Amino acid sequence: MQKDVVRLTHVLLLALVLIPSLFAHAISSEEVRRWQQHSRNVTITRDDWGIAHVVGKTDADAVFGMIYAQAEDDFNRIETNYLNSLGRLAEAEGEAAIWTDLRQKLFIDPVELRKNYAMSPESLRKLMDAWADGLNYYLAKNPNVKPRVIKRFEPWMVLSFTEGSIGGDIESINLANLRAFYGGDMSAAATSDETDKLAEPTGSNGIAIAPKNTVGGKSLLLINPHTSFFFRSELQMTSREGLNAYGAVTWGQFFIYQGFNERLGWMHTSGSVDAIDEYREATIQKDGKYFYRHGSSERNVTVSVVKVPYKTAGGIAERTFTTYRTHHGPVIRREATSGKWITVSLMHNPVEALMQSYGRTKAKNYDEFNRLMRLEGNSSNNTIYADADGNIAYFHVNYVPRRDIKFDWTKPVDGSVIATDYKGRHTVLELPNLLNPATGWVYNTNNHPWSAAGSSSRKKADFPAYVDSGAENARGIHAIRLLKDTKDFTLESLNAAAYDSYLPWFEKTIPALIKAWEKLPVSNPLKNKLADQISALKGWDFRWSIDSVPTSLAVFWGDDVARRVGAAARQKGMYLEEYIWYLSDSGSIEQMLESLATASDKLTADFGKWNTPWGDINRFQRLTGDIVHPFDDSKPSIPVGFTSGNWGSLASFGARPFRGSKKWYGTSGNSFVAVVEFGPRVRARAVTAGGESGDPSSKHFNDQAGRYATGNLRDVYFYPSQLKGHTERVYRPGN
């Protein structure tokens, strides 16, 4: 063994001498020693789906091994995520990404993150160190992998990306308005973020079932994130220090973002809390300097110089920006009506957020999990929870600033008024959380929390309006329909519920459409033109399937009617489906029927007939490992029955035609899906969109596609005994 270690040292040192261009610094013998030590302490087992089960002596060893395994599967996505989070995307993609980088750099400062790293608890620094070591070791061992920009990872970098969604709150800032302010291009300013077409909803589904509503007397959890496809890795990380977690990891992070351990599980769903606020600043310019009013005083506007490097044909160029900030936050735009500067306040607590994100993977019971929520490092996610003790819970977003309720926080507030400053933060006890509700279930579908447990839900009137600004959605209506009064859940029936084919959005809109057609006089050309289509819709049970013609008609009609009347519905303060019913009752029916005619014509033009089955249109295709994926009607693809979440499909599949295609290809929605049963032993089933590997030459690039498209989840090998007979290879990082 000792000879092997010495030989490995010599090989590594020789390799590092031969390939110095990989790193911006000389590799020290101490760094090599750390790499060797971690590698000796880590075992990676790949199961027959290519999923990594990483076992380390310490937590830091497990982090080293899991990030190494991620890099093996898709280093490109890891680097790209950090190019985004660090504001360095333009260095790889050129001038078009300058404004994305500037937006990120208003909040992400390497100098500040280095200080945060230095002040972090030692236990957290060890994990960050191991993360950087794992990535740098991977690059040293794989000189054929050519990073686009980041040739060396430093531990502090991980603090730029501490939640599971790229950009997080920062992405809420409108790039066009940012460009108009800092680029001087007023024509770039966005006039409205609304479109008449229904945008694909982002977010997720989470459901927890109490033991009293299950056949086996054990709590159940559905983990169903809706993201862009191939956004997360699936893996298990274990150590002798009490870590044993399985689930979905956003590429480049070192914690299980949505998953479970042997005692409990957690599912994050994007929330609608008002945790981001805009301030209208009263700025003054004196002697070439900027000030802003705050009460009776004037304060200096903080002025900074931000440099954004970007790639050109001739090498790296650079744009320099002068940016402005008040104590509320950075200036992000100019208000169109008043011309005043608008600043934004949002959460930026990277150390607390990372401690919370990693800490929950090791929690063993509800009390430990709840204590982690008190770090208040989560500004965007609700959490659905279940454990082996029989507890289920709903946790609301836990970063909620305390504000004066006399102001409308959905709009910019006057930053010169001292009363608009935050009054600290709400404690976890002051938020609409739920523990073991009488109904025996909790859920969230990115809707408000006021129906999270049916009749046992918290009351909206008991909380400030800013605690949640969301509404009910079609997926929420669907979830309640499945959960209410159901007492015999099993792991298998929860799996089936996650793919239940009902589309509640059409429950009232299709009858309204039929009613509109029936009102038409026989002399109207649409009466005859749409007779067969109406007949097909009359017999529809509002359920999707790959063989369903009414699903095709309904989806194409829903898209077109949204384009025609979406703006009018918003002007009346109605949901689109409410407005369609209103049109039917009011006699304003032409637009509804014209949309059906347009949908029918579109189907005929693109697929040869209006009565085209949904599976011939709605497809899953994975051809390359590119982040921006190409699609091709002439290449193999498979049918998918489930639809956009807009229509209430719990299994969400955001698809559309792409340039040169007629078929609709999915790019977002169901990504990782798991159902988990907690008891003396964990039992789980899961599936990942496509496959674990980002390499098209790997057999694990697309080996789960068929299961994904049909909801046929596979067994999770959580225990070593379950891996027996399902092991593809066992190795140490770098060997």
Side-chain angles (χ1 to χ4, degrees), residues 202 204-206 269-274 380-384 394-397 431-434 441-461 463-480 483 575:
T202 56
S204 308
N205 300 327
T269 59
S270 298
S272 48
V273 65
D274 183 1
S380 61
N381 292 311
N382 303 316
T383 304
I384 301 297
Y394 166 86
F395 290 97
H396 200 60
V397 171
L431 300 174
N433 299 327
L434 289 161
W441 50 265
V442 292
Y443 85 99
N444 190 256
T445 59
N446 317 116
N447 54 345
H448 58 56
W450 319 123
S451 63
S455 59
S456 301
S457 304
R458 305 296 295 271
K459 305 303 180 187
K460 182 178 181 179
F463 299 89
Y466 58 71
V467 162
D468 197 272
S469 56
E472 191 57 272
N473 58 31
R475 283 181 289 126
I477 293 168
H478 192 174
I480 293 171
L483 295 168
Y575 295 120

Side-chain angles (χ1 to χ4, degrees), residues 295-311:
S296 59
S297 66
E298 292 181 0
R299 295 187 177 188
N300 288 305
V301 172
T302 300
V303 181
S304 303
V305 174
V306 174
K307 295 181 178 180
V308 180
Y310 63 97
K311 186 176 75 172

Side-chain angles (χ1 to χ4, degrees), residues 279-283 291-294 299-303 324-331 341-344 415:
Y279 287 84
R280 185 184 301 107
E281 305 289 3
T283 53
F291 302 85
Y292 67 102
R293 291 194 183 94
H294 188 245
R299 295 187 177 188
N300 288 305
V301 172
T302 300
V303 181
Y324 306 95
R325 173 184 298 271
T326 73
H327 73 287
H328 296 125
V331 178
W341 291 5
I342 302 294
T343 56
V344 67

Side-chain angles (χ1 to χ4, degrees), residues 208-277:
I209 311 293
K212 71 176 185 179
N213 286 347
T214 68
V215 171
K218 301 171 185 175
S219 56
L220 300 173
L221 179 68
L222 168 67
I223 299 172
N224 183 200
H226 296 167
T227 67
S228 55
F229 292 163
F230 326 123
F231 187 65
R232 295 198 173 106
S233 167
E234 180 181 349
L235 58 79
Q236 182 176 18
M237 53 192 304
T238 306
S239 82
R240 297 181 195 171
E241 294 181 333
L243 173 67
N244 187 8
Y246 188 107
V249 182
T250 307
W251 294 106
Q253 294 186 322
F254 65 68
F255 52 86
I256 303 292
Y257 180 62
Q258 291 155 321
F260 58 95
N261 60 35
E262 66 270 36
R263 294 291 303 165
L264 56 83
W266 59 96
M267 170 59 209
H268 299 309
T269 59
S270 298
S272 48
V273 65
D274 183 1
I276 304 172
D277 292 304

Side-chain angles (χ1 to χ4, degrees), residues 46 49-50 69-78 229-233 251 622-627 629 688-703:
R46 295 280 183 173
W49 296 100
Q70 283 187 59
E72 289 182 304
D73 288 336
D74 206 327
F75 175 80
N76 181 40
R77 288 184 184 272
I78 293 175
F229 292 163
F230 326 123
F231 187 65
R232 295 198 173 106
S233 167
W251 294 106
R622 192 182 194 192
L623 302 175
T624 74
D626 298 338
I627 292 174
H629 189 280
T688 295
E692 178 61 26
S693 175
D695 180 1
S697 66
S698 169
K699 69 179 182 180
H700 301 304
F701 176 72
N702 216 29
D703 58 340

Side-chain angles (χ1 to χ4, degrees), residues 331-555:
V331 178
I332 58 166
R333 65 183 175 92
R334 191 186 304 274
E335 190 173 49
T337 54
S338 69
K340 289 187 175 182
W341 291 5
I342 302 294
T343 56
V344 67
S345 175
L346 51 80
M347 187 193 86
H348 184 56
N349 302 323
V351 174
E352 291 86 350
L354 187 57
M355 289 173 64
Q356 187 179 66
S357 293
Y358 183 79
R360 62 176 164 253
T361 68
K362 297 187 69 175
K364 301 303 180 189
N365 53 53
Y366 174 82
D367 288 340
E368 289 183 16
F369 199 91
N370 190 40
R371 279 197 294 272
L372 287 161
M373 291 297 179
R374 297 174 192 169
L375 288 168
E376 299 172 5
N378 179 353
S379 64
S380 61
N381 292 311
N382 303 316
T383 304
I384 301 297
Y385 168 98
D387 68 28
D389 296 321
N391 297 305
I392 63 169
Y394 166 86
F395 290 97
H396 200 60
V397 171
N398 54 60
Y399 172 87
V400 184
R402 191 186 305 277
R403 285 155 277 188
D404 191 325
I405 61 173
K406 72 184 178 189
F407 298 101
D408 182 358
W409 293 96
T410 65
K411 301 174 182 177
V413 295
D414 188 345
S416 68
V417 176
I418 294 176
T420 62
D421 284 356
Y422 290 165
K423 311 298 189 294
R425 295 199 291 266
H426 285 278
T427 67
V428 170
L429 292 175
E430 296 173 320
L431 300 174
N433 299 327
L434 289 161
L435 173 63
N436 297 327
T439 51
W441 50 265
V442 292
Y443 85 99
N444 190 256
T445 59
N446 317 116
N447 54 345
H448 58 56
W450 319 123
S451 63
S455 59
S456 301
S457 304
R458 305 296 295 271
K459 305 303 180 187
K460 182 178 181 179
D462 295 337
F463 299 89
Y466 58 71
V467 162
D468 197 272
S469 56
E472 191 57 272
N473 58 31
R475 283 181 289 126
I477 293 168
H478 192 174
I480 293 171
R481 186 175 185 268
L482 295 171
L483 295 168
K484 188 178 180 181
D485 301 325
T486 303
K487 305 294 184 183
D488 57 351
F489 275 105
T490 64
L491 190 71
E492 291 71 26
S493 68
L494 182 58
N495 183 166
Y499 289 87
D500 186 81
S501 59
Y502 195 67
L503 297 175
W505 194 90
F506 296 110
E507 186 177 59
K508 292 184 178 180
T509 56
I510 291 298
L513 175 65
I514 293 169
K515 180 180 177 182
W517 179 83
E518 289 173 342
K519 286 181 179 180
L520 277 182
V522 175
S523 59
N524 191 304
L526 291 176
K527 190 75 170 183
N528 183 59
K529 177 180 173 66
L530 299 176
D532 290 341
Q533 290 88 329
I534 291 293
S535 178
L537 291 171
K538 279 184 176 179
W540 188 36
D541 59 1
F542 311 123
R543 291 188 174 276
W544 54 254
S545 75
I546 60 173
D547 300 320
S548 172
V549 168
T551 301
S552 303
L553 264 178
V555 169

